[in-house]
Amino acid sequence: MFADLPVPAEDKILGIARQFRADPRANKMNLSVGVYADTHGETIILDTVKEAETRLLTRQTTKTYVGLAGDMDFNQAMKEIVFGAENADNDLIQGVQAPGGSGSLRLIAELIGRNRPNSRLWFSTPTWPNHEALVGVGELSINYYPYFDATHNAVDFEGMKAALQQLGPDDVVVLHGCCHNPTGVNLTQAQWDEVITIAQQTGFFPFVDLAYQGFGDDLDTDAYSTRKLAASVAEMAVAASCSKNFGIYRERVGCALVKAQTAEHAQVAFKQLQKIGRGLYSMPPDHGAAVVSIIWHDAELRQQWFAELSAITERILTLRQSLAQQLHAKLGHGRFDFLAEHRGMFSLTGLSSEQVNQLRDQHAIYMVGDGRMNIAGLQETRISELADAIAAVVG
Ligand SMILES: Cc1ncc(COP(=O)(O)O)c(C=O)c1O
């Protein structure tokens, strides 16, 4: 069985994390993996999460299975977080708890692949490297639409629109709802409106990956595209993650949400998602979803979570501004000014893989080979050091 198994290629980003751990240099800096770190460089547990866990510990009386759809109070919470209070009772929308945003992506992809095997999948150029593996199920063909204009560090909006206008009802378009990974470049609300009009005209199926809601501007602004789509198109799906905005990465919490044309259709999709999950992992994990549910359904904890999340978001924005300013000052030009305009954890810096290697070898600074930097992994006290190193490698 195992004798002729080929050794798999190491995951690009996780491979860098392994290299980082093995690096003995005391001044090393990890800006590769997509995890938020505080001013001390630690990925701490939110106070609201700790409080919810304490309550859960005393309240929980059983560890029996929760059910195929997971915790329905959690699914309701996610419906409200993602689609807003205005959709709290909308029976066209149904959600199924899943293991992380990744598990949610997979559930929805399986639903599409099994029901419409001839669909064509469309990803942005570039996209999160794991998208193909998670979403490219069965016969679904994999295609790419233009997204990033590296010359201007902006969205190639004309290219994107031209590609989307060619699509039809057999096409499934994976859209980063906010905080595009890896580029950090996002559509404006006016541009989203145009994309949504194209979705209405062509009938393509919008499949929103919402992994960073609240990490860009705030929970509502970051959900603009998702909520506008829900109000405008007959059918769509959203893979939502709680890894980042609740900081519960390892608990594996997400929700696969569908918006259907009728309540009956939504119910059938809800049941199908559960059946698919049954065949993949049988039952979703409970702990993290219970934590999210406790926070969301307690008015005080919910407010505290809003405050904790917005402190994180504001800090990321400040880190972005400081780094852009320091680079501007050290280089004497605005090549990296765009860092302050980007949103979310990441920015594609435009550094070449050679420059990324120089940063690692000469300065112990780790980024992804394509030049993606995790701004949310940066410490205030080390911005100047990072700016010096970047200035040194770009010359
Ligand atoms: C674009 C994107 N989608 C989905 C995910 C999935 O997140 P998780 O499965 O950890 O919830 C990630 C995580 O890095 C991501 O970057």
Side-chain angles (χ1 to χ4, degrees), residues 336-369:
F336 292 102
D337 284 0
F338 63 81
L339 292 172
E341 306 307 319
H342 285 184
R343 285 293 180 273
M345 300 180 103
F346 307 114
S347 272
L348 212 50
T349 55
L351 295 171
S352 66
S353 60
E354 219 166 62
Q355 290 166 332
V356 169
N357 289 345
Q358 280 173 8
L359 282 173
R360 184 194 60 211
D361 298 342
Q362 295 163 15
H363 304 275
I365 294 169
Y366 286 72
M367 291 181 196
V368 182

Side-chain angles (χ1 to χ4, degrees), residues 100-102 105 128 131 176 181 209 211-212 241 243-244 252-253:
S102 303
L105 283 166
W128 183 40
H131 265 154
H176 296 229
N181 178 7
D209 182 354
Y212 299 93
S241 167
S243 301
K244 314 294 185 312
R252 314 306 303 133
V253 194

Side-chain angles (χ1 to χ4, degrees), residues 48-69:
T48 36
V49 168
K50 269 284 174 217
E51 172 58 26
E53 286 185 315
T54 307
R55 292 188 195 179
L56 185 60
L57 198 66
T58 45
R59 178 190 302 182
Q60 201 170 49
T61 54
T62 178
K63 292 282 186 191
T64 188
Y65 297 117
V66 180
L68 291 179

